[in-house]
């Protein structure tokens, strides 16, 4: 079992920045096999991929809509992942979820992730 806890959401103006944090708890989190991903869901829309990082190699993937604005990172000692979000737009408004799982092939499909956090709200004003 892995428990994920997100924090850092809030209300920001257009063009502002925000950093989300996700902390993993649980002995089954495997530094060599796990991938950490961030997804978001806006009202009335489906959950969509934002960014992901393979824990061991540090290789990353981003949705086109956030590339060059968002940066995902991880802290191996603390078992935390940050999502640094810059140049925020109103269309970034959503509930943001972190998720993790082992041996994830594509990184971008939500179905590949086994454990999910409760989500944190990000609201960007126009």
């Amino acid at each position: 079992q892995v428990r994920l806890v997100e924090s850092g959401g809030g209300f920001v103006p257009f063009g502002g920045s925000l950093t989300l944090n996700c902390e993993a708890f649980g002995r089954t989190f495997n530094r060599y096999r796990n991938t950490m991903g961030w997804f978001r869901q806006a009202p009335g829309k489906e959950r969509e991929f934002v960014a992901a990082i393979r824990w061991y190699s540090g290789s990353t993937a981003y949705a086109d809509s956030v590339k060059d604005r968002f940066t995902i990172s991880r802290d191996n000692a603390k078992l935390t992942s940050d999502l640094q979000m810059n140049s925020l737009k109103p269309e970034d408004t959503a509930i943001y979820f972190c998720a993790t799982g082992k041996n994830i092939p594509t990184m971008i499909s939500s179905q590949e992730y086994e454990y999910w956090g409760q989500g944190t709200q990000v609201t960007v004003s126009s």
Side-chain angles (χ1 to χ4, degrees):
Q1 283 280 354
V2 177
R3 185 167 68 94
L4 301 175
V5 179
E6 302 103 333
S7 61
F11 184 91
V12 291
F14 177 86
S17 298
L18 204 60
T19 299
L20 305 182
N21 177 267
C22 177
E23 187 169 5
F25 299 88
R27 292 186 174 185
T28 58
F29 188 91
N30 189 312
R31 288 175 170 84
Y32 297 101
R33 297 167 62 187
N34 270 62
T35 294
M36 186 76 82
W38 285 92
F39 292 77
R40 65 187 182 187
Q41 188 165 18
K45 295 188 177 182
E46 293 188 354
R47 190 170 297 187
E48 65 174 1
F49 170 74
V50 175
I53 185 166
R54 295 203 188 278
W55 204 267
Y56 180 65
S57 68
S59 60
T60 58
Y62 294 92
D64 288 342
S65 59
V66 306
K67 204 171 290 185
D68 300 325
R69 297 190 298 124
F70 290 12
T71 302
I72 188 172
S73 61
R74 89 272 193 239
D75 185 313
N76 196 36
K78 296 180 182 178
L79 286 185
T80 60
S81 172
D82 284 348
L83 184 68
Q84 173 68 43
M85 305 185 295
N86 299 324
S87 302
L88 283 162
K89 308 172 184 179
E91 50 263 46
D92 294 317
T93 295
I95 299 174
Y96 283 71
F97 300 88
C98 66
T100 193
K102 291 188 180 68
N103 303 323
I104 289 178
T106 73
M107 300 169 71
I108 64 174
S109 171
S110 62
Q111 296 180 353
E112 296 175 348
Y113 291 80
E114 184 175 5
Y115 300 103
W116 291 80
Q118 79 287 351
T120 185
Q121 176 70 48
V122 172
T123 303
V124 184
S125 64
S126 57

